[in-house]
Amino acid sequence: MIKINDNFCELPASYLFSDVAKRINAFKAEHPDVEIIKMGIGDVTQPICPAAIQAMENAVADQADRVTFHGYGPEQGYDFLRRRIVDVDYRSRNIDIDIDEIFISDGAKSDTGNIGDILSTDCKVAVTDPVYPVYVDTNVMAGRAGHLVDGRWSRIEYLPCTAENGFIPSLPKDNPDVIYLCYPNNPTGTTLNRSQLEKWVEYAKDNNALILFDSAYEAYITEPDIPHSIYEIPGAKDVAIEFRSFSKTAGFTGLRCGYTVVPKALKGLSKNGDEVSLNALWNRRQCTKFNGASYIVQRAAEALYSTKGRHQVKETIAYYMRNASLLRNGLSAAGLEVWGGVNAPYIWVKTPGGLSSWEFFDLLLEKCGIAGTPGLGFGPSGEGYFRLTAFGRYEDTVAAVERLSSCLLYTSDAADDLTRVD
Ligand code: PLP
C-alpha cells in the first residue's frame, strides 16, 4: 500500500467546527421547535454589493465573446486588480508596494496554509494563543509542530493572549523563526496599536524571524491608532509577509479571493548559505501549483475599489459593526466581561461562574438556543472564553441579545450549579 504523510496522523481526529456542528445537530434533533441563532462559524450573511455583482455580470458577458474571452490568467493575478491594491490599500497610506509584490489568490486560508511550502520544515514556529487553527494545523501537516501533549504541540511556541495581559502577547522566548500574527485578531477581536506592533517588527529584525501577518479583518478597524497593514511600521518590509482577504471585507467567502504581499526585500537562507528572495520563491510556488483566481472574481474584487464599491462595502461593514456593538453592550449590561467588537467583528466573552468553554457552549445552546464557539477550540489559552460573531442578521443579533440577557440570570444560577460539581 502507498505510504502516507504521517504528519496527518498527528492531527486530532475532529475539527473544532465539526464538533460544534455535531452538538448543534444533536440538540436540534431533540428540540426541533427551538430556533437556534448561529453565532459560531465566522461566515457572513449579507449579499455581495451591487458594484461587484455588476462587475461579474459584465465579466460573464466578456467570457461569452471571442474578443473579450479570458482563458488562463497570470498566476500572480491580473494587473487591473493588483494596481488597485497598490494604490488604494497601500499608496493611500503612504506605503510603497510594487505591483509584483502582490499575489492574488483564492483566499487567505490557502495562502496562510501554503506559505510554509517555501520555508524549511526545520523552522520553529510561534503562534499567539488562542489562534486561527489553520496556522497550527498546516504546520502539523508539514512536520514542524512535533507532538500534541495536553493540547499543545511540542515544537510550537504559544504566546498566551488573555485578560491577564490585556490580550497583548509577550515577545517569544524560544527564538522562533516564524511568527504568526493576526490583527485585528480572530478569535479575540482585539488589536495591537502602532507602538505594540513596532515591538514585533523590531524583535523580528533583531532575531532574524519572519512575521506572517494576517490582516483579514483590516476593514473592520475603526480606531485611528490601529495599523491597517504591518507595512505602516518602518522596516516591516524586511521581515513580514502580509495576507489579506476579500471574504470578510466584501462577503467573498463563497466567491473566493484574497491576496498576499511578499516584499522583494525579504530574504531567506538556503542550505548553502545563499540569500534567496522569498518573493521569487513564492512566485515559483504559485506558478507551479496555482493557476490564478478566476477572471470573473478578480473583476468583482476590482469593483470593490471603485467609488461606488467602496461606499457599498463600508455600508455592509457598518451593518456588522452595529451588530458588534449591540452584542458588546448587551452582554456587558448583562454582567459578562467582553472584548473585541470595536475593531473586529468578533466578541470574546469570559465564561461566567468559572464554566469551561464547552460547558458554556452547552448552556447557551440549551437555555438560550444560541450557538457560539468555545474558546478552547482556538488553543489552550482560549479555555474559559467564548466567541460570538457579529456576522449574523441584525434581527437575529437583537433576538440573541434579548435571549442572552433574559437567560443570563438563569445561566448564572446554572453556572453556580455546574461549578459546585467538582
Ligand atoms: N484568516 C483569518 C484570521 C480568518 O479568520 C479567516 C476566515 O475565517 C481567513 C484567514 C480565511 O479567509 P479566506 O476566506 O480569504 O480564505
Side-chain angles (χ1 to χ4, degrees):
M1 262 192 283
I2 192 76
K3 284 189 184 166
I4 59 158
N5 176 350
D6 277 315
N7 298 322
F8 279 68
C9 302
E10 296 281 344
L11 287 165
S14 65
Y15 177 62
L16 167 65
F17 290 109
S18 68
D19 281 349
V20 166
K22 261 186 224 153
R23 292 203 195 196
I24 294 174
N25 289 338
F27 178 80
K28 260 198 217 152
E30 271 181 43
H31 308 88
D33 301 336
V34 178
E35 197 159 318
I36 298 170
I37 303 178
K38 289 190 184 162
M39 308 181 90
I41 297 179
D43 201 356
V44 293
T45 51
Q46 296 305 296
I48 290 164
C49 67
I53 296 291
Q54 183 61 57
M56 281 193 284
E57 284 175 4
N58 298 344
V60 168
D62 285 348
Q63 295 298 70
D65 184 331
R66 192 154 20 109
V67 178
T68 50
F69 166 77
H70 287 72
Y72 287 128
E75 289 92 345
Q76 303 81 359
Y78 284 102
D79 279 359
F80 61 73
L81 176 56
R82 297 165 94 199
R83 215 171 291 123
R84 294 297 240 167
I85 291 168
V86 165
D87 289 342
V88 181
D89 290 346
Y90 293 104
R91 203 155 286 159
S92 71
R93 295 187 186 281
N94 295 320
I95 302 167
D96 199 16
I97 295 287
D98 281 349
I99 196 164
D100 51 1
E101 295 178 311
I102 309 275
F103 295 85
I104 310 295
S105 72
D106 64 350
K109 186 182 200 174
S110 318
D111 286 356
T112 53
N114 290 330
I115 195 72
D117 277 11
I118 64 166
L119 305 173
S120 164
T121 47
D122 292 339
C123 284
K124 274 173 59 185
V125 169
V127 295
T128 54
D129 171 31
V131 73
Y132 178 53
V134 171
Y135 313 150
V136 172
D137 288 3
T138 52
N139 277 293
V140 175
M141 292 171 181
R144 287 192 198 92
H147 303 287
L148 189 61
V149 184
D150 296 332
R152 285 163 204 272
W153 294 93
S154 55
R155 283 195 79 239
I156 288 187
E157 181 173 5
Y158 290 80
L159 308 167
C161 297
T162 60
E164 283 70 40
N165 61 11
F167 299 93
I168 310 298
S170 298
L171 293 170
K173 295 193 177 67
D174 295 347
N175 237 341
D177 304 291
V178 182
I179 303 162
Y180 288 82
L181 295 180
C182 170
Y183 290 101
N185 188 258
N186 174 18
T188 65
T190 58
T191 49
L192 291 186
N193 65 26
R194 199 168 306 276
S195 63
Q196 288 159 346
L197 193 55
E198 273 166 8
K199 290 199 181 105
W200 284 89
V201 171
E202 201 179 297
Y203 172 89
K205 278 199 147 184
D206 293 347
N207 294 276
N208 282 321
L210 172 68
I211 296 176
L212 300 178
F213 191 77
D214 186 344
S215 55
Y217 298 95
E218 158 284 324
Y220 289 83
I221 293 172
T222 60
E223 293 180 322
D225 192 33
I226 309 300
H228 286 249
S229 162
I230 193 164
Y231 305 124
E232 288 179 42
I233 310 297
K237 280 205 275 182
D238 297 327
V239 294
I241 291 175
E242 179 160 287
F243 304 91
R244 293 263 184 117
S245 168
F246 296 107
S247 286
K248 309 300 163 69
T249 307
F252 277 33
T253 52
L255 273 187
R256 310 303 309 141
C257 198
Y259 67 87
T260 290
V261 183
V262 189
K264 284 180 275 190
L266 268 180
K267 300 281 190 269
L269 206 59
S270 78
K271 67 172 187 251
N272 305 327
D274 298 329
E275 271 194 5
V276 179
S277 154
L278 294 193
N279 177 285
L281 288 189
W282 184 244
N283 188 45
R284 188 75 170 88
R285 190 265 172 214
Q286 290 298 80
C287 289
T288 304
K289 290 195 180 180
F290 184 62
N291 243 340
S294 96
Y295 169 71
I296 295 167
V297 168
Q298 290 190 65
R299 280 290 184 203
E302 179 196 24
L304 303 174
Y305 292 95
S306 65
T307 309
K308 264 193 197 155
R310 289 169 77 176
H311 177 72
Q312 291 164 359
V313 161
K314 270 197 185 138
E315 274 184 352
T316 308
I317 287 174
Y319 175 95
Y320 291 134
M321 289 310 275
R322 180 168 66 145
N323 289 348
S325 61
L326 195 73
L327 274 170
R328 194 182 152 94
N329 297 338
L331 299 188
S332 301
L336 288 172
E337 264 189 289
V338 296
W339 295 270
V342 176
N343 296 296
Y346 294 116
I347 308 288
W348 193 239
V349 184
K350 180 93 193 114
T351 61
L355 289 180
S356 76
S357 54
W358 277 108
E359 283 170 340
F360 192 56
F361 173 90
D362 287 337
L363 209 61
L364 280 198
L365 186 59
E366 281 161 26
K367 307 297 177 208
C368 312
I370 292 173
T373 312
L376 184 62
F378 298 100
S381 297
E383 181 54 294
Y385 295 91
F386 198 73
R387 192 191 75 174
L388 293 170
T389 89
F391 286 127
R393 293 185 314 147
Y394 177 69
E395 309 82 74
D396 289 342
T397 309
V398 171
V401 169
E402 274 167 14
R403 282 195 208 177
L404 271 160
S405 310
S406 55
C407 283
L408 270 175
L409 268 181
Y410 186 85
T411 304
S412 56
D413 288 348
D416 285 347
D417 285 348
L418 274 167
T419 46
R420 256 180 258 130
V421 184
D422 272 340

